[in-house]
Amino acid sequence: MHYDAIVIGAGIIGLSTAYHIKRKNPQKSILVIEKESSPGFGATGKSAGCFQGFFKSEISRKLAVSSIEFYKDIERRAKYNFKIRWTGFLWLLNEKQYEEIKKDLKEMKAYGTEHEIIDNEMLMKNLKVRINVKEDQDAKIIGLNNIHVGLLAKYAGTISVESLLKFYEKEFMKLGGKIIYNHKVNRIIIEPYKSLNIPEEPYYWQEKRIAGVEIDGKKILANKTIIAAGGWIQKILDNVGVDSHIKPLKKNIYVIKAKNEKLKEILYAKGFNREGCMPFTIIPHPEVYVKPEIDEETFWIGHGLTLGNPFKVEREYLPDLKFYEKNIYPVLKCYFPQFKNTRPLNAWSSIYEVTTIDRQPVIFEENDLIVVGGGSGYGIMKADAIGRIASAVFSGDKWAKLYGDIKIRCSDLSIKHRRIEEEVFLL
């Protein structure tokens, strides 16, 4: 069995990569291998499903905006309903945070990034948020700061992850691509470029390449092997001695029902967007986010990253309810007292991949192995651009053409020749 390319992983980035390689190279044979029974069964399907184009760095803007515009266009042409809601992103900033980004906001105006500074009066009146948390005894113990202003990014919102996955899966298969589910890769095959047909090859002194994979005791060979397995990327690469600088973490999402009028007032907060609901809201450090789910009248509560979270792949990802009770809930109820005495209706956990260098995607090729990943919580909103860049790397192109005729140098997202500006707006 031999293919032009094997893609390991059928998450959003793996499927986008496979789709764009096949779209650009219709004559090539492309196989996707996924260990689960359906696409996006790992981190993709358990993500919050949010997007934003509000970034300081040029590369972040290009990746996110081109992808979002592509999704918009597909939905506009009525090919798929991605259920895009323009809720906006609202950062609730303390005084120190605001002072640190004031200069960045001035620069970003020149790029056309639409945002609005929301004063405390509107935050209290419309969102019912507590501004002066230092009055609260628990807030003093935790070390929380008062809210100084709100920063509302309008080019942001939520999207149906399930619909996105279906789009890439269906369109890839329409082009003649092949996907096999319920198959786990047992090992990556290393072979010499020039075989001498002697036992135990390859030897240390031979030039080697990644030649494919083994599943169920069978070899599947390929001209290029693409690892797009999300949080499992480095575990796979450790066996062949390649460092992606992508590490696995665990993240949780908790669902709270808007079961009373006070919570519904927050959910259906007016004046922030055309959807008639609260924006995706990020509480000041320590970061806790609140995502409105108006179809089911719930809030999805999640968290950022902090020192102490181990880098590891877990055998089974189960939600940590104690983490909510001891770490998330005390912060949440200080800023939103309406959540007092609420408990999760539902919760889930998943593996989370983070690029430890700069939390930007990693795309590079080494000895016929292509590594694609490191979404770092922004994989959904950047997936289409990442897939196009990976496709360009597969074809040996120096530049990738993103949706909207946006160009990007492929090597900028590599490890050896990386050129990434620091990004300020990361959760």
Side-chain angles (χ1 to χ4, degrees), residues 207-330:
E207 291 293 325
K208 295 171 280 288
R209 63 179 291 269
I210 302 301
V213 301
E214 183 183 290
I215 58 173
D216 301 329
K218 297 178 182 179
K219 286 185 178 181
I220 305 179
L221 303 179
N223 295 336
K224 305 282 185 183
T225 302
I226 301 164
I227 312 292
W232 290 272
I233 284 177
Q234 194 53 53
K235 186 176 181 180
I236 295 170
L237 294 179
D238 282 344
N239 294 321
V240 293
V242 175
D243 189 2
S244 66
H245 296 275
I246 297 170
K247 293 285 190 177
L249 287 167
K250 177 180 178 179
K251 290 189 80 172
N252 303 280
I253 291 178
Y254 307 94
V255 181
I256 304 293
K257 185 72 175 177
K259 59 184 178 180
N260 57 49
E261 289 307 312
K262 288 185 177 180
L263 287 172
K264 286 179 182 178
E265 270 190 292
I266 301 172
L267 185 65
Y268 296 109
K270 306 298 182 187
F272 295 100
N273 53 55
R274 63 191 185 202
E275 302 291 341
C277 67
M278 74 178 298
F280 179 92
T281 302
I282 301 118
I283 290 172
H285 182 78
E287 291 163 332
V288 172
Y289 70 74
V290 182
K291 176 197 173 187
E293 273 291 326
I294 56 177
D295 290 337
E296 55 188 43
E297 287 201 331
T298 62
F299 305 92
W300 288 15
I301 314 296
H303 57 90
L305 305 178
T306 185
L307 182 67
N309 287 0
F311 291 129
K312 66 176 182 178
V313 174
E314 298 190 2
R315 185 181 297 275
E316 187 178 8
Y317 281 86
L318 299 173
D320 186 347
L321 294 178
K322 280 189 177 180
F323 187 83
Y324 174 81
E325 294 169 5
K326 303 291 184 182
N327 296 279
I328 304 298
Y329 174 70

Side-chain angles (χ1 to χ4, degrees), residues 20 41 66 74 120 153 166 196 241 252 288 323 326 351 366:
H20 283 297
F41 213 80
S66 67
I74 294 295
N120 286 347
K166 284 181 179 177
L196 300 174
N252 303 280
V288 172
F323 187 83
K326 303 291 184 182
I351 194 169
E366 187 173 312

Side-chain angles (χ1 to χ4, degrees), residues 10-12 15 34 36-42 44-45 162 165-166 169 179 181:
I12 190 69
L15 288 178
E34 170 57 51
E36 302 293 350
S37 59
S38 59
F41 213 80
T44 300
E162 183 183 0
L165 286 166
K166 284 181 179 177
E169 180 193 40
I179 306 176
Y181 292 109

